[in-house]
Amino acid sequence: MSSRRLSRRLGFLSTVLLVAVTGLLAMVAFVGVRSILLQERSASALRQAHVGAALVSNNVLTGAGNLPALLAQINSSSNTVSQALVFGTWESVTSLHPDESIPLPVRERTLAGHVTSLTTTWKGHSLVAVGIPLSAISGSYFLLDNLDALNHELRNIAGVIALGWLVVTLGGIVLMRRQLASALIPLERASAVVRAVAHGDTSQRIAPTSSSREIDSLAKNFNAMVDSLVTQMQRDAHFASDVSHELRSPLTSLTASADRLAARRDRLDEDSAHLVDSLQRDVATFSGLVTDLLELAQIDRGVEHLVLDEVNIHELMDRCVTLISRRDGVSLPEVVHVGDPAATCVVDRRRFERVLSNLVGNAVKYAGGVSALHVEIDDKSARLSVADLGPGIADEDRERIFDRFYRGQSAFNRGDTTGTGLGLALVRAHVIALRGTVTVQRHSPQGSIFTLVLPREGTVH
Ligand code: ADP
């Protein structure tokens, strides 16, 4: 999974987690505050009811009289309504009948002799209803505490908690994303280096991060592995270079002998003439193989130095196309130029010509010729493409054709034995040395399109 996708997935998961956890905390906070306030209110109503019941009892027993005035006095200090049943008569300061103002379960339990307290909704109002039996005066005392104002306050508290939750969650998401992005930067850099090395650029190493010991240890091991790979490749390259070098002079003699034999072809019988043709072809293939191997080995050893020049890439492309066309006797389409005609790029002319020559040679060999040539330049890079209308390259071959000695389906279909499978490997090695990339795509309506992207950085504008 790419680090960008990993970052997106981690970001999504942690956002969901953060929203869920903070949402849960906000809910727990609200439920806690609500239950504390309700419990307190209900305990206070019960305390107040006991005091009211004692006052009513005392009033009746001492014959002080004017019970409604006493009840009104009790009510005036709070949100409460008191009613008393004294010797079978209801005393109340409200015009409502007790059937309407006192919830039925509270009335029934109190009249049955139990102290009752109930938080309920009655006739559209939220209230605490308390009933105290008054056995001394064969009556009961009821207190109704209206909770509407408290509920209104609770709604305000819920609003404040929700706002706090929103602010905390949004802030958390922003902070978390930043943290995640900065934690993933070293990972992204490391994965870019791994990609570059996998594409053949063995000069890249993962830099230590100082922020994560795990990534540093991974980087150390990876760098050590690339170092030993480079050492091994250089040893192999030395060997290949020595072998190719040693083979050059016997090959030159062999080529000369084959050419001499071919010159006397008319004097040979038919079988011998065929043998000479085949020998000449094989010697030419072998000679091409040794030349390519030597060039690759020198690139691997780093002895093939870059000769960099700042050139007008449009002009260079035109010049190379003319040269290849004349030298190899192939007809090539006119180059299509896009972007600033005076734009320059820093390249090695010889390697550039070699790359183009190999791509054109392949288009001629496998696709019946080049159908289009493009140069497109912008501020950052030069993009060059060679297109053909040939059989195209199978999906599974598209990456592998740049590997050494890999010969794709097209060579197999043609029964071609003259190739070596090193042409595109050389293209890739040269392009990497120029810090560029080379890719191949399916070309519409048919065929292939090879695209080189060369960076323009280092260019003097
Ligand atoms: P070679 O040509 O010696 O086989 P290359 O490295 O140049 O080696 O090419 C590798 C393979 O890529 C070829 O064998 C061929 O199958 C395929 N190939 C290259 N260019 C083209 C093309 N323009 N159209 C179709 N196939 C191609």
Side-chain angles (χ1 to χ4, degrees):
M1 192 187 300
S2 76
S3 56
R4 210 159 284 232
R5 270 177 61 197
L6 177 71
S7 155
R8 242 182 280 140
R9 182 168 285 197
L10 280 179
F12 176 72
L13 284 180
S14 36
T15 304
V16 170
L17 203 70
L18 184 75
V19 170
V21 169
T22 49
L24 197 74
L25 285 177
M27 249 158 69
V28 167
F30 177 70
V31 170
V33 167
R34 184 174 180 274
S35 101
I36 288 171
L37 288 179
L38 284 178
Q39 266 174 25
E40 206 158 277
R41 191 67 177 263
S42 155
S44 140
L46 189 62
R47 271 197 309 274
Q48 207 182 329
H50 275 296
V51 173
L55 286 173
V56 167
S57 235
N58 208 29
N59 177 290
V60 174
L61 289 175
T62 56
N66 204 357
L67 203 50
L70 176 67
L71 292 174
Q73 207 184 334
I74 294 171
N75 295 343
S76 66
S77 59
S78 63
N79 257 335
T80 55
V81 173
S82 303
Q83 287 177 314
L85 182 66
V86 179
F87 300 125
T89 309
W90 281 101
E91 297 286 352
S92 171
V93 284
T94 73
S95 54
L96 290 174
H97 189 270
D99 283 357
E100 289 176 55
S101 59
I102 303 170
L104 188 61
V106 177
R107 222 178 327 139
E108 283 177 352
R109 273 184 61 79
T110 310
L111 294 180
H114 303 287
V115 173
T116 308
S117 173
L118 185 71
T119 305
T120 184
T121 304
W122 183 253
K123 309 277 181 203
H125 295 284
S126 180
L127 47 85
V128 180
V130 185
I132 311 270
L134 302 173
S135 47
I137 56 172
S138 310
S140 302
Y141 172 82
F142 294 94
L143 180 133
L144 304 173
D145 188 1
N146 190 322
L147 299 180
D148 286 347
L150 179 69
N151 279 342
H152 181 71
E153 239 169 72
L154 280 172
R155 273 197 294 279
N156 287 344
I157 290 173
V160 171
I161 290 180
L163 195 72
W165 168 76
L166 200 71
V167 170
V168 168
T169 308
L170 288 180
I173 290 173
V174 171
L175 275 180
M176 209 170 54
R177 297 231 154 174
R178 265 200 211 155
Q179 202 67 22
L180 205 62
S182 66
L184 282 171
I185 286 173
L187 264 186
E188 265 178 3
R189 287 200 188 126
S191 90
V193 172
V194 173
R195 260 199 314 274
V197 171
H199 281 88
D201 184 359
T202 49
S203 65
Q204 304 263 354
R205 296 292 180 278
I206 302 176
T209 60
S210 76
S211 61
S212 157
R213 233 183 305 144
E214 288 78 11
I215 295 181
D216 280 352
S217 135
L218 188 94
K220 216 168 119 195
N221 290 334
F222 178 80
N223 291 345
M225 187 197 77
V226 179
D227 285 343
S228 81
L229 188 75
V230 168
T231 313
Q232 183 63 41
M233 276 167 58
Q234 277 175 347
R235 215 174 292 143
D236 293 350
H238 257 287
F239 177 71
S241 160
D242 291 347
V243 170
S244 314
H245 207 77
E246 289 304 315
L247 282 174
R248 279 187 101 170
S249 32
L251 246 177
T252 314
S253 317
L254 200 62
T255 309
S257 307
D259 289 349
R260 269 202 303 278
L261 263 179
R264 280 190 244 142
R265 194 179 187 284
D266 306 346
R267 283 182 256 157
L268 301 174
D269 60 72
E270 203 178 327
D271 283 351
S272 308
H274 277 308
L275 274 175
V276 167
D277 290 345
S278 157
L279 178 72
Q280 209 181 12
R281 260 199 320 273
D282 289 346
V283 169
T285 306
F286 192 41
S287 179
L289 172 74
V290 170
T291 310
D292 286 354
L293 259 184
L294 193 61
E295 191 170 347
L296 267 175
Q298 278 169 345
I299 296 173
D300 289 347
R301 285 176 58 197
V303 292
E304 173 107 346
H305 292 298
L306 279 173
V307 182
L308 292 174
D309 284 315
E310 187 174 1
V311 292
N312 179 317
I313 198 84
H314 297 289
E315 286 173 13
L316 179 66
M317 180 82 164
D318 283 337
R319 244 179 286 131
C320 289
V321 167
T322 312
L323 178 114
I324 295 165
S325 164
R326 281 199 198 131
R327 185 192 62 201
D328 302 342
V330 289
S331 110
L332 294 173
E334 222 169 86
V335 181
V336 177
H337 296 278
V338 179
D340 179 5
T344 57
C345 202
V346 176
V347 290
D348 179 321
R349 296 167 199 259
R350 191 192 67 78
R351 291 190 184 217
F352 181 83
E353 186 272 317
R354 181 84 158 109
V355 166
L356 199 63
S357 173
N358 279 9
L359 295 180
V360 168
N362 277 349
V364 170
K365 188 156 60 161
Y366 299 111
V370 175
S371 66
L373 292 163
H374 273 85
V375 180
E376 197 176 329
I377 197 151
D378 61 25
D379 287 347
K380 291 211 168 96
S381 57
R383 225 179 151 77
L384 305 109
S385 62
V386 178
D388 64 59
L389 297 172
I393 292 165
D395 291 348
E396 63 274 19
D397 276 354
R398 225 164 274 157
E399 261 299 309
R400 298 195 62 194
I401 52 170
F402 294 98
D403 290 348
R404 292 172 189 196
F405 300 110
Y406 187 80
R407 310 209 62 220
Q409 195 62 39
S410 311
F412 179 73
N413 290 347
R414 289 175 84 237
D416 183 277
T417 54
T418 57
T420 58
L422 289 178
L424 290 179
L426 265 171
V427 165
R428 186 164 67 176
H430 285 310
V431 172
I432 287 175
L434 294 171
R435 287 184 303 120
T437 56
V438 55
T439 50
V440 60
Q441 274 104 31
R442 196 188 293 275
H443 182 43
S444 172
Q446 68 173 79
S448 317
I449 176 159
F450 286 81
T451 307
L452 309 180
V453 179
L454 301 175
R456 288 191 64 208
E457 43 196 74
T459 305
V460 184
H461 289 284

